[in-house]
Amino acid sequence: MLLCLGSLGATAWGQPQIIIKFSHVVAPDTPKGKAAEYFKWRAETLTRGRVRVDVYPNSQLYKDKEELEALQLGAVQMLAPSLAKFGPLGIREFEVFDLPYIFDNYDMLHRITQGSVGRELLDKLDAKGIKGLAFWDNGFKSFSANTPIHLPGDLKGKRLRIQSSKVLDEEIRALGGRPQVMPFSEVYPALKAGVIDGTENPVSNFYTQKMYLVQPYLSLTDHGYLGYAVIVNKRFWDELPADVRSALEQAVRDSTLYANRIAKEENDRALEAVRRSGKTHIYQPNARERAAFKQALIPVHARMAARIGPDLIRAIYRETGFKAN
Ligand code: LMR
């Protein structure tokens, strides 16, 4: 069965080699890009070469939506899509991570992603032929645009690119903006051509996709979280020899620790690089401006509760001690 799912090569001593194609959309020099390479190293070491991991970054193989379809079909074995991209698959609960300001910091977030709520969310993927293995961090998003962003009203009427999440769509509407769903690989050209006015992302993506060259204003709003679910084709995973699977589980655990250790420093480094470039004005909203963004965006939680599930939102509030102010 493995023959039709993963590709097979041969190890030096003639054993069939299991090849995992790991596709993703970001640059190699990002939290996810580095964690994917780390996973490759751990997986190949721990299986003593029985597994080979081929990492394809930067949407080289597939764009956002296509990569999920490719995984389900078995054309690739492993992905780490952002949590905002599971809605179109019918798993709306993942959009809870897109609720503005639901996590103030990584500690609050890890209570969910590294705890039982996170495990239950990953298990929901089984029904789609996908095995959810782990959550990897990126970080907190900032808005960028072609004009300064100090207050919510500054984004009024702007065409802002978002990922394929209904919560993000509602977030932009709450600011009076015009949400435009677009694959990640198309954001830079669209900004450059002026097809869109702005976007949101953690700074590591803003820097490595060169958005800073075509977006003169970046506001450190930290208004939402962007992270990843590490997923595999379930049939491929279930049919692996047990010893190989447990070595890969260990490789995932090691890579998760690594990913979550480097995410913040990668974003801090990217911010420094943007600052040094002198191409983008970086603005830090003050307390009053931050309160205005919160006031505009927190109502999105209630508006999206029926879609995501009010019990899940309540469970997260309880676990993290979320406070609206
Ligand atoms: C985006 O599409 O903005 C992000 O999901 C890209 C990524 O994977 O970090």
Side-chain angles (χ1 to χ4, degrees):
M1 214 58 238
L2 278 172
L3 272 172
C4 24
L5 292 170
S7 327
L8 292 181
T11 59
W13 50 97
Q15 250 181 335
Q17 190 178 36
I18 299 161
I19 297 172
I20 296 180
K21 287 189 184 171
F22 186 161
S23 170
H24 68 79
V25 300
V26 296
D29 203 14
T30 54
K32 176 163 63 180
K34 288 191 168 180
E37 285 299 332
Y38 190 92
F39 171 75
K40 171 184 169 64
W41 170 64
R42 289 307 289 150
E44 292 177 357
T45 306
L46 290 169
T47 63
R48 297 198 176 82
R50 277 192 67 196
V51 169
R52 193 182 91 204
V53 181
D54 294 340
V55 179
Y56 299 89
N58 260 330
S59 310
Q60 232 173 65
L61 277 190
Y62 300 106
K63 295 185 197 173
D64 297 343
K65 189 165 167 284
E66 301 159 2
E67 68 173 15
L68 275 160
E69 287 161 4
L71 184 88
Q72 286 180 297
L73 292 171
V76 293
Q77 290 69 42
M78 191 162 182
L79 306 172
S82 121
L83 303 167
K85 291 177 184 163
F86 288 84
L89 211 62
I91 314 280
R92 297 170 170 187
E93 291 90 337
F94 276 62
E95 291 179 0
V96 77
F97 291 98
D98 300 328
L99 288 174
Y101 300 106
I102 190 159
F103 305 108
D104 280 341
N105 50 51
Y106 287 104
D107 284 345
M108 264 170 105
L109 168 79
H110 290 162
R111 279 184 228 160
I112 304 308
T113 55
Q114 311 307 317
S116 59
V117 177
R119 185 66 260 163
E120 282 164 31
L121 281 170
L122 290 177
D123 289 346
K124 289 190 188 297
L125 296 168
D126 282 17
K128 304 288 171 187
I130 294 173
K131 172 90 187 148
L133 296 177
F135 290 98
W136 286 355
D137 286 345
N138 187 334
F140 295 89
K141 294 177 292 186
S142 291
F143 281 117
S144 66
N146 47 9
T147 51
I149 311 155
H150 295 187
L151 285 165
D154 297 330
L155 291 170
K156 197 156 181 220
K158 296 271 183 206
R159 294 160 303 174
L160 300 171
R161 180 270 173 173
I162 53 163
Q163 306 174 78
S164 56
S165 153
K166 287 282 183 275
V167 171
L168 297 180
D169 182 282
E170 189 60 33
E171 168 201 276
I172 300 301
R173 287 178 200 284
L175 298 170
R178 291 154 59 191
Q180 318 268 311
V181 173
M182 190 178 280
F184 186 60
S185 55
E186 289 169 21
V187 182
Y188 170 81
L191 287 169
K192 189 162 191 250
V195 176
I196 47 173
D197 304 307
T199 184
E200 57 163 21
N201 235 302
V203 189
S204 56
N205 281 340
F206 184 75
Y207 177 64
T208 54
Q209 294 298 313
K210 305 205 180 336
M211 297 181 206
Y212 71 104
L213 297 176
V214 289
Q215 286 276 266
Y217 297 95
L218 175 71
S219 188
L220 304 179
T221 41
D222 283 342
H223 60 276
Y225 172 73
L226 189 150
Y228 309 108
V230 182
I231 58 177
V232 283
N233 177 296
K234 188 169 178 328
R235 199 155 140 221
F236 167 75
W237 191 254
D238 289 345
E239 290 178 359
L240 285 171
D243 58 331
V244 170
R245 193 169 48 241
S246 71
L248 292 178
E249 280 165 357
Q250 184 61 44
V252 170
R253 278 194 293 274
D254 294 351
S255 318
T256 301
L257 289 175
Y258 171 80
N260 296 353
R261 190 172 71 234
I262 65 162
K264 183 170 183 316
E265 61 198 51
E266 286 296 315
N267 277 297
D268 289 349
R269 216 179 28 218
L271 181 61
E272 209 30 58
V274 173
R275 206 185 294 281
R276 270 200 318 272
S277 78
K279 297 281 185 201
T280 303
H281 298 275
I282 300 171
Y283 184 71
Q284 178 70 67
N286 62 33
R288 183 182 60 86
E289 291 159 345
R290 196 172 152 78
F293 269 103
K294 278 198 161 184
Q295 199 184 353
L297 290 176
I298 299 277
V300 172
H301 293 211
R303 276 181 229 143
M304 288 286 111
R307 178 177 169 86
I308 295 169
D311 291 347
L312 174 60
I313 300 180
R314 267 196 297 273
I316 293 182
Y317 284 178
R318 244 195 332 271
E319 198 74 33
T320 62
F322 168 86
K323 296 218 170 39
N325 295 300

